[in-house]
Amino acid sequence: MITGHLLSAADLSKDEALNLLSTAKELAAITDGPNKKLPTLRGKTVVNLFFEDSTRTRISFETAAKRLSADVINFSAKGSSVSKGESLKDTAQTLQAMGADAVVIRHGSSGAAKRLADTQWIQAAIINAGDGTHEHPTQALLDAFTIKQHLRNDKSDLTGIRVLIVGDILHSRVARSNVLLLTKLGAQVVLVAPPTLLPVGVGDWPVEISYDLDSQIEKCDVVMMLRIQLERMADSFFPTEREYSRRYGLNSARLAKLSKSAIVMHPGPMNRGLEISADSADDLKSVIIDQVKNGVAVRMAVLYELLGGAQIGDSK
Ligand code: CP
């Protein structure tokens, strides 16, 4: 059982992460049935506080909360008083007055979720839905769930699974959270990127590093392609998009080199034709749509655990 907040994948012990994934599996089985809704969080209020754009995370948190019968308030900075200069503190205190029990926050600044949790401007469970280039813990959880679903569909961890995380590691909160979580669950993680797209200090991370995708592609179980985050790039990190795609993109030639059981992942949104070709994204090996679907069950599990809902399956 996790308590308090979920700010980082590092907040979770291995047992807590495995329990959460097992709760998510149970919830997925229930909501895949004809009655998608559980009364578990009736009377609770979940606020989606999004200062940055999102499709998958915002919609899946909203769906997750509604499937657990919580009330949901969707707040987007665009069109709110934030655009008139209102501070995070005043926004948080407004949400406190509305009676929020959980705040799901996405923010462009690394550390924003932690600040909200540490300051106690609001007495609610804080869930980090992506803070700057720092972390995106529920993405890592849904990625781990998807890997287990396809390659290890039992109670065990990810020992023996080799995961390539390819591309813009420097700007990727998804990569950071996945390294923390997947290695904790026993996976071998290899970061594959040009040196310019690796963060300072990456040598201290519990991963292998490679600059050469072709030397790695045949010996992995999972290839997780990352979006090139052009919006976070003030400088030029590679000569041209064509050159990047040629050296680090997943295309049909590389797809053909993957082992029979290997899977292709991408957190989305994708730059089709840049880090991943359209045929790779749509190939039978691609589990990208499963990742999106699994996001709902995993976020239901997180809300369920943090808000201490009634027992799963309780139909009263
Ligand atoms: N993977 C992910 O965080 O997608 P969104 O930006 O659409 O939420």
Side-chain angles (χ1 to χ4, degrees), residues 150 255 258-265 278-290:
H150 285 272
L255 198 66
L258 284 169
S259 74
K260 199 169 162 218
S261 60
I263 56 172
V264 172
M265 302 178 76
D279 54 350
S280 302
D282 299 332
D283 191 82
L284 286 175
K285 286 185 170 298
S286 167
V287 298
I288 295 168
I289 295 299
D290 294 341

Side-chain angles (χ1 to χ4, degrees), residues 21 139-154 156-165 178-179 181-183 185-189 220-224 261-266 287 290-291 294 298:
L21 298 181
Q139 178 71 43
L141 282 164
L142 75 88
D143 289 340
F145 184 96
T146 307
I147 295 170
K148 264 172 76 68
Q149 180 182 53
H150 285 272
L151 301 177
R152 196 54 67 80
N153 199 14
D154 54 26
S156 67
D157 61 16
L158 300 181
T159 300
I161 304 262
R162 188 171 171 88
V163 182
L164 304 188
I165 304 183
N178 262 311
V179 167
L181 186 70
L182 299 183
T183 55
L185 295 179
Q188 268 181 293
V189 175
C220 72
D221 302 293
V222 177
V223 58
M224 184 185 293
S261 60
I263 56 172
V264 172
M265 302 178 76
H266 192 303
V287 298
D290 294 341
Q291 289 174 265
N294 292 336
V298 162

Side-chain angles (χ1 to χ4, degrees), residues 50 53-58 106 129 136 139 173-174 267-269 299:
F50 277 63
D53 294 342
S54 167
T55 299
R56 281 147 285 270
T57 311
R58 193 184 59 74
R106 169 167 291 192
H136 194 352
Q139 178 71 43
R173 52 198 179 203
V174 173
R299 286 163 178 141

Side-chain angles (χ1 to χ4, degrees), residues 8 18 43 61 77 79 155 157 160-161 166 179 184 215 234 275 286-287:
S8 160
L18 287 173
F61 265 113
K155 287 195 189 313
D157 61 16
I161 304 262
V166 185
V179 167
K184 191 172 284 181
S215 69
E275 71 267 1
S286 167
V287 298

Side-chain angles (χ1 to χ4, degrees), residues 48-68:
N48 284 324
L49 180 59
F50 277 63
F51 293 88
E52 258 193 358
D53 294 342
S54 167
T55 299
R56 281 147 285 270
T57 311
R58 193 184 59 74
I59 291 174
S60 64
F61 265 113
E62 179 174 357
T63 309
K66 285 182 172 167
R67 287 198 180 157
L68 292 170

